[in-house]
């Protein structure tokens, strides 16, 4: 089985799929720009997965289930959405936001393909920045008084299971989905990262993160490794040349805003949620 995955390295849902593939020792290719079939149907929505050249599929929980893991109950899906609160702070520092995307470069074997993809993929953070900024303007989200409370459901889930993982002696769907969320909060640090590291109520959850680090020590996109024990190597950073190509692409997207800005809103209408 060979799997092709489209998705960005800062997406929790992309991480969930990649972690499941890693656990199953399934070969995959990660592409940083969406295939045309995905754009036509879902815009730049991610992740999208094609197995053995088959049709593209979306929704990370469904994909993980297709890879041989248990279905995710609705109550867990609700708890995961709750644990995502605070993500709207990602673009609060635009320089840090776009710099993080520049470092997460394309890894194609061909130098020309890498350069092309790093130029083109600059549209993705432009899209994300615009979408989150529009959401904040329209919805006026408020910060909770206690970011740590959104993780208490998962702290209880850790305590209920005698094994080191949420799904028992080996990691399963809940582990992949929540650990993907931890990578999201860590890749571009946001306020929820503080209670995850310091809140005394979340000692069990930090123990679970430690177990996941041990299990996935060779996972190449372990952004949480800087913030949680045991400390492991951070993801590889794109070369300066490739980051400059990304910046050139981003400048092009910004300067072309009469075209790119309407395109963002058109693609937003294609996203399932």
């Amino acid at each position: 089985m060979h799997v092709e995955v489209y998705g960005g390295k800062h997406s929790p849902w992309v991480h969930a799929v990649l972690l499941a593939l890693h656990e199953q020792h399934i070969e995959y290719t990660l592409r940083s720009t969406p295939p045309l079939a995905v754009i036509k149907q879902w815009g730049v929505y991610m992740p999208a997965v094609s197995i053995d050249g088959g049709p593209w599929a979306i929704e990370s929980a469904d994909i993980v289930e297709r890879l041989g893991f248990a279905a995710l109950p609705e109550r867990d899906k609700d708890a995961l959405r709750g644990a995502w609160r605070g993500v709207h702070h990602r673009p609060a520092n635009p320089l840090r936001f776009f710099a993080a995307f520049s470092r997460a470069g394309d890894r194609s074997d061909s130098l020309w393909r890498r350069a092309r993809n790093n130029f083109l993929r600059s549209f993705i953070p432009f899209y994300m920045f615009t979408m989150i900024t529009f959401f904040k303007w329209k919805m006026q989200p408020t910060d909770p008084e206690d970011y740590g409370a959104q993780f208490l459901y998962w702290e209880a889930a850790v305590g209920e299971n005698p094994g080191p993982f949420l799904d028992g002696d080996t990691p399963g769907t809940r582990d992949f989905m929540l650990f993907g969320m931890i990578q999201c909060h860590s890749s571009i640090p946001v306020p929820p990262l503080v209670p995850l590291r310091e809140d005394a109520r979340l000692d069990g959850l930090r123990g679970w993160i430690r177990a996941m680090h041990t299990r996935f020590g060779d996972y190449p996109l372990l952004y949480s490794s800087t913030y949680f024990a045991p400390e492991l190597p951070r993801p590889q950073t794109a070369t300066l040349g490739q980051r400059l190509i990304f910046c050139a692409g981003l400048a092009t997207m910004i300067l072309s805003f009469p075209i790119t800005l309407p395109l963002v809103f058109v693609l937003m209408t294609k996203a399932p949620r």
Side-chain angles (χ1 to χ4, degrees), residues 108-135:
S108 301
D109 294 334
S110 162
L111 177 62
W112 180 86
R113 194 177 299 116
R114 264 200 319 276
R116 180 200 64 187
N117 290 346
N118 279 319
F119 184 91
L120 293 176
R121 75 180 182 86
S122 62
F123 178 77
I124 304 297
F126 176 83
Y127 171 95
M128 296 294 181
F129 184 90
T130 305
M131 180 180 67
I132 297 173
T133 302
F134 176 75
F135 165 78

Side-chain angles (χ1 to χ4, degrees), residues 21-236:
L21 290 166
H22 189 278
E23 177 66 17
Q24 294 285 59
H25 305 288
I26 296 174
E27 180 183 358
Y28 68 87
T29 300
L30 178 62
R31 58 182 296 163
S32 58
T33 56
L36 184 59
V38 171
I39 294 176
K40 286 181 176 179
Q41 191 163 358
W42 301 295
V44 297
Y45 187 84
M46 60 181 73
V49 169
S50 172
I51 298 176
D52 291 332
W56 290 90
I58 59 170
E59 298 300 344
S60 52
D62 296 340
I63 294 166
V64 170
E65 183 180 355
R66 187 175 172 186
L67 293 172
F69 296 94
L72 191 68
E74 285 299 323
R75 65 181 181 277
D76 288 339
K77 291 181 181 179
D78 291 339
L80 282 166
R81 284 189 283 268
W84 208 21
R85 293 191 69 181
V87 73
H88 65 276
H89 285 286
R90 278 185 149 195
N93 183 328
L95 182 61
R96 184 177 67 177
F97 179 83
F98 290 114
F101 277 91
S102 76
R103 290 191 296 270
D106 185 89
R107 292 296 172 192
S108 301
D109 294 334
S110 162
L111 177 62
W112 180 86
R113 194 177 299 116
R114 264 200 319 276
R116 180 200 64 187
N117 290 346
N118 279 319
F119 184 91
L120 293 176
R121 75 180 182 86
S122 62
F123 178 77
I124 304 297
F126 176 83
Y127 171 95
M128 296 294 181
F129 184 90
T130 305
M131 180 180 67
I132 297 173
T133 302
F134 176 75
F135 165 78
K136 290 167 67 175
W137 170 77
K138 185 174 179 62
M139 304 300 293
Q140 297 292 310
T142 57
D143 293 331
E145 294 182 5
D146 178 9
Y147 269 116
Q150 67 189 13
F151 301 108
L152 293 178
Y153 176 93
W154 297 107
E155 176 71 16
V158 169
E160 292 167 0
N161 198 312
F165 304 106
L166 291 168
D167 283 348
D169 292 330
T170 57
T173 306
R174 297 195 300 169
D175 296 281
F176 306 139
M177 299 295 287
L178 183 60
F179 201 52
M181 191 72 65
I182 302 298
Q183 304 316 306
C184 173
H185 289 322
S186 300
S187 64
I188 304 174
V190 288
L193 189 60
V194 175
L196 278 169
R197 300 181 68 193
E198 302 175 0
D199 195 325
R201 298 171 298 174
L202 303 179
D203 283 343
L205 197 57
R206 284 187 286 275
W208 167 79
I209 293 173
R210 189 178 302 111
M212 290 293 284
H213 274 196
T214 301
R215 183 81 173 195
F216 292 96
D218 57 345
Y219 178 66
L221 299 174
L222 210 58
Y223 288 100
S224 57
S225 61
T226 297
Y227 303 102
F228 301 94
E231 187 172 338
L232 298 163
R234 281 183 63 83
Q236 187 176 357

